[in-house]
Amino acid sequence: DKDPRSEYNIYSIQKKRGTYIMISQGKRAVKSGQILENSVEDILVDNGYTVEVQAKFTDCYNNPRSKMDFYIPELNLAIECKRQMVSGTADQKLPFVVANLAMFPSKKGLLILDGDHYHSRKGIAMYLNTQKSDCFDWCFVEDFAEWLGKQA
């Protein structure tokens, strides 16, 4: 019989109720991203902002089912969060994220990064700094509350 683990790029195995369950790398990444999104949402709510979660829009590939992590009406701000703990293809997705923040019907877009990988890659910060404008900015999650305070 085929080993069921061969269908997964196993990154983690969790023990739940006395049995072990396999978690694919993709599923683990989704959970990790949700931790970041929850932190960002908490900061926004704690600062009194209205938070629209998973706001629908048409992306740069003309996909009308795309979703932006957050839209903050009071600031006319779209926010996308990305967390990457280890190297992978995440770097290649950043230009797509920047383009989608520009496509979202808001005055400004903000990319919030978290994770060891993004902190260790100086080239990512260099690239994102070249994209900064009146309608795009980025920060690490630990700087988000300060960034938000400057918007008022």
Side-chain angles (χ1 to χ4, degrees):
D1 283 336
K2 185 177 173 185
D3 184 347
R5 292 174 294 177
S6 64
E7 295 178 21
Y8 296 90
N9 181 1
I10 297 176
Y11 193 84
S12 174
I13 297 178
Q14 286 185 344
K15 188 171 184 179
K16 186 174 184 179
R17 295 189 190 136
T19 60
Y20 289 93
I21 57 171
M22 292 179 285
I23 298 178
S24 69
Q25 188 170 354
K27 193 175 217 180
R28 190 174 197 293
V30 168
K31 280 185 167 189
S32 181
Q34 288 171 340
I35 292 168
L36 172 59
E37 289 174 20
N38 291 342
S39 297
V40 168
E41 186 174 6
D42 288 346
I43 291 168
L44 289 163
V45 170
D46 289 350
N47 281 278
Y49 289 104
T50 304
V51 180
E52 293 181 20
V53 179
Q54 299 298 311
K56 292 181 182 178
F57 75 107
T58 300
D59 71 14
C60 63
Y61 294 142
N62 205 30
N63 178 359
R65 296 176 297 161
S66 292
K67 296 177 183 175
M68 187 63 59
D69 289 335
F70 302 107
Y71 174 66
I72 314 308
E74 296 93 334
L75 299 174
N76 199 7
L77 174 69
I79 299 175
E80 187 68 19
C81 301
K82 294 291 175 199
R83 186 168 197 254
Q84 186 74 21
M85 295 307 292
V86 297
S87 65
T89 60
D91 301 2
Q92 299 164 9
K93 297 173 185 171
L94 292 180
F96 176 74
V97 172
V98 172
N100 280 335
L101 283 164
M103 297 286 297
F104 193 87
S106 63
K107 182 178 178 184
K108 190 162 192 158
L110 177 67
L111 172 60
I112 300 176
L113 298 180
D114 187 29
D116 295 341
H117 176 70
Y118 288 134
H119 281 89
S120 67
R121 297 286 304 246
K122 292 185 184 351
I124 291 170
M126 288 170 43
Y127 164 73
L128 291 172
N129 285 336
T130 68
Q131 302 301 305
K132 278 185 165 186
S133 67
D134 290 340
C135 58
F136 172 77
D137 203 356
W138 76 279
C139 68
F140 288 111
V141 67
E142 62 268 21
D143 302 320
F144 176 55
E146 182 182 341
W147 184 96
L148 192 60
K150 293 177 183 177
Q151 306 311 302

